[in-house]
Amino acid sequence: MYKKIVWSAIGLIVVMVGIFVILVYTDSSQSADKTNKERRGTEVRAASTSEEEEVVKVDTEAPNPFGKNSTQEELTDEDYRNYLHKMSHQKVIADEKWGFYEITSERIDWLWQGLDKADLKNKNVYREILERWREDDFSKVDQDHNAIWQLQGGTIGEATGILSSEEEEAFLQETKEQ
């Protein structure tokens, strides 16, 4: 009977030590994962046929969908205002429109994801706009345009309404032909 108690205690201690080791290992690997995700590229170790590990470079951030070299971390308020303003031109009525970026879910998501990576003064304004746009809600796109336009100090080209589907399609066609 005494031997059973001793062996049970030893077994319990071994299990507890094993759980402790697993928890410590999991916690450190999660911390390392967070650190790796903060970098643009991370190293992933993949098992190879030999006993050595192969190091594979993985790009964790999608390239800038606006065709620029800047990363999400490098984005400034000026970048956000520029991108959002020019994207809104696809959907708004205005006497003057300078510049254009086609609205795509890739661009919207990339900007939205960048909000938590960049140091921005007007982050809440951009977040409200992008959250609506992510849901394909462009019912306030003229107000969105004008909010950004005002942040830019706009004096000419205020949005006065929202284009109909047909007008938007014509604008896209005209812009693509230029």
Side-chain angles (χ1 to χ4, degrees), residues 54 56 58 67 70 82 94 103 106 110 118-119 124 136 140 145:
E54 177 185 347
V56 180
V58 177
S70 56
N82 182 44
I103 295 173
E106 177 188 15
W110 189 81
D119 182 28
N124 290 335
D136 287 326
K140 297 181 180 181
H145 172 278

Side-chain angles (χ1 to χ4, degrees), residues 103-158:
I103 295 173
T104 65
S105 57
E106 177 188 15
R107 286 177 171 159
I108 293 169
D109 288 341
W110 189 81
L111 288 171
W112 187 81
Q113 291 166 1
L115 289 171
D116 293 327
K117 297 178 182 179
D119 182 28
L120 303 166
K121 180 180 176 185
N122 296 294
K123 187 179 291 193
N124 290 335
V125 173
Y126 313 138
R127 186 179 309 279
E128 286 177 22
I129 292 170
L130 289 166
E131 284 178 353
R132 267 195 307 281
W133 291 10
R134 288 183 81 209
E135 299 296 322
D136 287 326
D137 178 0
F138 295 97
S139 61
K140 297 181 180 181
V141 72
D142 54 341
Q143 295 169 31
D144 298 338
H145 172 278
N146 291 341
I148 298 298
W149 177 77
Q150 287 174 349
L151 288 173
Q152 293 175 313
T155 57
I156 299 172
E158 181 176 16

Side-chain angles (χ1 to χ4, degrees), residues 2 4 20 28 38-39 61 90 98 100 109 122 133 141 154 159 177:
Y2 180 72
K4 282 186 177 182
F20 177 76
S28 11
E38 290 171 2
R39 290 186 281 150
E61 181 179 301
Q90 176 176 330
W98 292 295
F100 168 73
D109 288 341
N122 296 294
W133 291 10
V141 72
E177 291 172 4

Side-chain angles (χ1 to χ4, degrees), residues 67-107:
K68 307 291 182 187
N69 290 327
S70 56
T71 65
Q72 290 169 322
E73 292 84 0
E74 297 169 328
L75 291 175
T76 64
D77 279 274
E78 183 178 345
D79 293 323
Y80 269 87
R81 289 189 298 262
N82 182 44
Y83 292 148
L84 291 171
H85 184 215
K86 290 180 179 179
M87 287 169 66
S88 71
H89 285 168
Q90 176 176 330
K91 297 197 173 278
V92 300
I93 299 169
D95 290 337
E96 298 284 337
K97 296 181 185 180
W98 292 295
F100 168 73
Y101 286 115
E102 187 170 1
I103 295 173
T104 65
S105 57
E106 177 188 15
R107 286 177 171 159

Side-chain angles (χ1 to χ4, degrees), residues 157-177:
E158 181 176 16
T160 57
I162 301 173
L163 295 172
S164 68
S165 311
E166 296 79 19
E167 292 170 319
E168 180 181 344
E169 191 58 41
F171 174 82
L172 289 170
Q173 275 304 116
E174 179 184 315
T175 307
K176 289 179 182 179
E177 291 172 4

